[in-house]
Amino acid sequence: MLINLSDVLSDQHKTVDETVPLTMDKICLQSGEYPVVSSEPVHVRAEHIKGKELLINADTALTVLIPCDRCLEEVRYDFVLNCTRHVDLGLSDAELTEELDESNFIDGYHLDVDKMLFHEILSEWPEKVLCREDCKGLCRVCGRNLNTGSCDCEDPGLDPRMSVVRDLFKNFKEV
Ligand SMILES: [Zn+2]
Ligand SMILES: [Zn+2]
C-alpha cells in the first residue's frame, strides 16, 4: 500500500492521517514463509518538520502463524507495532537508503507502508516460539509429537553407561 506524501511537502504542509488495510498476507523470511492470519488496519500519520523532513508514524497489530520451536505445531503469534521514522526526502536515494537502515520504504514521494512495517516485524521477530512453556517436542527417533502421547522409542541421547544399568534393570524385570 502506497501513500502519497506530496501534500505534506506542498506549501500547506498538510498532515497525512490515513487508515489503510495491511496488504501483506504472509511474511517471507530466509527461514520460510509465515502466513498472516489476521491484522488490524494500519493507522499512518506523516507530518512536516522542516525543509523536506518528515516524521512518519505507523501503528497496527497482526497475528502470524509461526511453528513451535520444539514440536512444529503452528502457534498464533501477535505483533503489536508502533514505529516512528524521521525521513529526509531532500537526500538522494542512496543517502536515504543508508539513513533508513537499508530498507527503503520511500519511493519518490510515496510511502510504502508494507515495507516500513516489514522492517519493524523483522526487528520484533521472536528468537524462539513455543506452543507452551513445557512443550515436550518431537521424539528424536520416530518423530511423534510427545505432547499428544508417548512412544516406545529408546532415547538415543542417554548416557551409554545409563543404558547398561537400564538393560540390567530390564533383564531383572523379565526374570
Ligand atoms: Zn510445541
Ligand atoms: Zn518415538
Side-chain angles (χ1 to χ4, degrees), residues 68-73 75 130-132 135-137 145 147:
C68 168
D69 223 54
R70 292 186 197 147
C71 71
L72 307 178
E73 283 287 323
V75 181
L130 292 179
C131 61
R132 54 187 217 212
C135 171
K136 296 191 181 82
N145 184 340
N147 296 315

Side-chain angles (χ1 to χ4, degrees), residues 55-95:
L55 194 66
I56 301 174
N57 176 268
D59 65 77
T60 187
L62 65 156
T63 304
V64 181
L65 294 182
I66 305 178
C68 168
D69 223 54
R70 292 186 197 147
C71 71
L72 307 178
E73 283 287 323
E74 285 184 322
V75 181
R76 296 173 68 91
Y77 191 89
D78 297 321
F79 289 88
V80 177
L81 307 175
N82 187 350
C83 55
T84 303
R85 294 282 185 280
H86 175 249
V87 177
D88 187 351
L89 294 181
L91 299 175
S92 70
D93 276 355
E95 286 170 320

Side-chain angles (χ1 to χ4, degrees), residues 139-144 146 151-153:
C139 168
R140 280 183 286 175
V141 180
C142 70
R144 175 169 182 158
L146 298 174
C151 55
D152 297 322
C153 302

Side-chain angles (χ1 to χ4, degrees), residues 100-115:
L100 296 179
D101 230 357
E102 319 222 342
S103 61
N104 200 347
F105 49 83
I106 300 289
D107 181 6
Y109 288 111
H110 287 87
L111 164 70
D112 188 326
V113 180
D114 283 0
K115 262 194 195 168

Side-chain angles (χ1 to χ4, degrees), residues 158-171:
L158 277 185
D159 186 323
R161 284 166 302 176
M162 280 303 293
S163 62
V164 173
V165 176
R166 200 176 48 208
D167 287 347
L168 282 175
F169 189 66
K170 251 192 205 158
N171 293 340

